[in-house]
Amino acid sequence: MLDLLNDLLWSKVLIVALVGLGLYFSIRSRFVQFRYFGDMFSIFAEAFQRQPGQLSSFQALMLSVAGRVGAGNIAGVAVAIMLGGPGAVFWMWLVALLGMATSYFECSLAQLYKRREADGTYRGGPAFYILHGLGQRWLAVIFSILLLVTFGFGFNAVQSYTVATSLNDTFGLPTWISGLALVCVIGAIIFGGIKRIASMADVLVPIMAFSYIGMALVVIGMNIGEVPEVLGLIVRSAFGLEPAFAGGIGAAIIMGVKRGLFSNEAGLGSAPNVAAVAQVKHPAAQGIVQSLSVFIDTLLVCTSTALIILLSGVYQPGSEEVAGVVLTQTALAAEVGEWGRIFVSTALLLFVFTTLVYNYYLGENALSFFSTKRSLLQVYRVLVIALVLWGSMQDLSTVFGFADVTMGLLALVNLAAVFLLFKTGIRLMRDYDSQRKEGVKTPVFDPKAYADLDLDHAAWPNKVPGTVPTSGTVSPSPVRQQ
């Protein structure tokens, strides 16, 4: 059943939806992801700013990167190469470049339709722009259920499986022991709320991401003469010009799109849940920032894994003896020695740790769309912990198969909503563009110009003539604390 659903979703529907809509969004926005590419990096000026009770735009970016950078960047890339050949990497790049535009629009819309709670906190995401933008509560309910199942349960099982397999290969540690250890750590962290997660992520994520990229640069430097050939191999394989690799162009496209979406989540509807609660002066500003997380995830971290594997010479077409994260570890060990296995295991442990907590938060956010009863929250927490343990002891096909189906359905619902709200997204973008052309360094959102939309005026208060705009001066905690 999983294979049938996956084949329908990924070999037909989602390839057209992801690539087609990503291209449509890019062209209609005049490639907004490239026009504002330089502006994306200005967010790092916020790296050392700490404003109590608020989630800064930088923290939201780091939290999104923490969620995106995980098992998909190390194990997922290895699986894509193993089943789709080196050409899968090219399609991952394409999905990411187009997905930056998709991420821009979904995160801008999430900011626009966010709601302020009675206790002064913000909540938002696709369920909210589906409800308040499209007026379709039934579709918002379906999205929330899929988000809960995909991230709260499915993706957490994938993450725990990957880290348990990695530690087993490196240290011979039984997978169930790794699962229990993750359960203990995650169980302690999930009671801390999003502020604790964010304060951890904005420190830990840059360190772990740049360390991993640095290791890839070492491997590239050791094999600099072979890099042009490897890049050529990736491009040739992407178009079926290297028949020795996997199933040719079809397998390369399917695996590249599937693993690309799993890794960078552009269009999946996960990042908007975090983007919505950042404090910004204009919704489009957060859309620009969130596009950067897609670039970091795929163009930097995933490419690092791909080059480590392909430059090492360990990968052999058609061989499944070394699969998933073990392939990445074996490749690095072949280049720098056995301590490379320990490095990958350590990096993966940090990646997975932040991603597990991020996934839990997304599930909790989805759950709160239905009910805020504490008893229901406790049941959810128990189920998350159980799935983390279950995932650590499963096989590769079962874990990835389940996650792929729920991820595909989630993406379809969110992409449909973003497409239907695209005119509103373009309207926001043009407002931001016009202010920039007028010389405004930091454009400010004026809710009075959007009186026809179902906005929360507590989240976006109207400007008062003769005063400093207040749309970015509310100081809420990012989400409801349990």
Side-chain angles (χ1 to χ4, degrees), residues 73-89:
N73 300 81
I74 298 180
V77 174
V79 170
I81 292 174
M82 184 181 71
L83 299 180
V89 178

Side-chain angles (χ1 to χ4, degrees), residues 178-195:
S178 298
L180 284 177
L182 284 174
V183 162
C184 293
V185 175
I186 296 304
I189 290 294
I190 61 178
F191 291 93
I194 189 66
K195 284 192 291 186

Side-chain angles (χ1 to χ4, degrees), residues 59 97 250 358 388 394:
Q59 286 180 307
L97 290 173
Y358 169 84
V388 168
Q394 294 306 302

Side-chain angles (χ1 to χ4, degrees), residues 44-294:
F44 288 99
E46 291 187 10
F48 301 102
Q49 295 178 10
R50 295 291 183 273
Q51 298 176 337
Q54 300 174 7
L55 192 69
S56 71
S57 192
F58 176 80
Q59 286 180 307
L61 170 67
M62 290 298 101
L63 192 54
S64 295
V65 173
R68 286 185 164 112
V69 177
N73 300 81
I74 298 180
V77 174
V79 170
I81 292 174
M82 184 181 71
L83 299 180
V89 178
F90 175 88
W91 295 105
M92 291 180 74
W93 291 340
L94 181 64
V95 167
L97 290 173
L98 296 178
M100 289 172 70
T102 305
S103 184
Y104 167 85
F105 284 106
E106 65 178 350
C107 292
S108 296
L109 289 169
Q111 265 285 332
L112 179 67
Y113 287 105
K114 67 184 178 183
R115 298 342 242 189
R116 189 180 185 188
E117 302 286 85
D119 60 358
T121 62
Y122 287 154
R123 280 199 301 141
F128 291 82
Y129 56 69
I130 291 173
L131 176 60
H132 300 287
L134 296 177
Q136 302 296 326
R137 183 174 180 80
W138 66 272
L139 191 59
V141 169
I142 290 176
F143 178 87
S144 295
I145 292 172
L146 289 171
L147 182 66
L148 178 64
V149 172
T150 302
F151 282 87
F153 303 140
F155 279 9
N156 272 342
V158 171
Q159 301 291 338
S160 63
Y161 162 82
T162 304
V163 76
T165 304
S166 172
L167 294 175
N168 177 261
D169 175 69
T170 303
F171 304 107
L173 194 66
T175 55
W176 66 269
I177 292 180
S178 298
L180 284 177
L182 284 174
V183 162
C184 293
V185 175
I186 296 304
I189 290 294
I190 61 178
F191 291 93
I194 189 66
K195 284 192 291 186
R196 179 184 295 179
I197 300 169
S199 62
M200 169 193 67
D202 66 355
V203 174
L204 187 59
V205 170
I207 293 174
M208 67 186 189
F210 287 115
S211 296
Y212 190 72
I213 293 169
M215 178 57 71
L217 291 175
V218 170
V219 173
I220 291 170
M222 294 169 62
N223 301 273
I224 192 66
E226 300 173 29
V227 171
E229 172 58 27
V230 166
L231 294 176
L233 175 65
I234 290 173
V235 175
R236 292 194 303 273
S237 300
F239 296 96
L241 302 179
E242 292 283 346
F245 291 102
I249 186 172
I253 293 175
I254 292 172
M255 291 309 302
V257 173
K258 186 186 294 186
R259 297 276 67 84
L261 178 62
F262 176 80
S263 176
N264 64 52
E265 300 178 14
L268 193 54
S270 53
N273 292 274
V274 175
V277 298
Q279 181 182 345
V280 293
K281 296 183 182 299
H282 196 289
Q286 189 61 17
I288 292 170
V289 168
Q290 289 297 326
S291 293
L292 180 60
S293 64
V294 178

Side-chain angles (χ1 to χ4, degrees), residues 29 67 81 99 142 177 186 218 267 271 284 321 335 351 366 370 372 389 409 411 425 462 469:
S29 66
I81 292 174
I142 290 176
I177 292 180
I186 296 304
V218 170
E321 296 180 3
E335 289 293 314
F351 288 165
F370 304 103
T372 56
L389 182 60
L409 294 173
N462 288 311

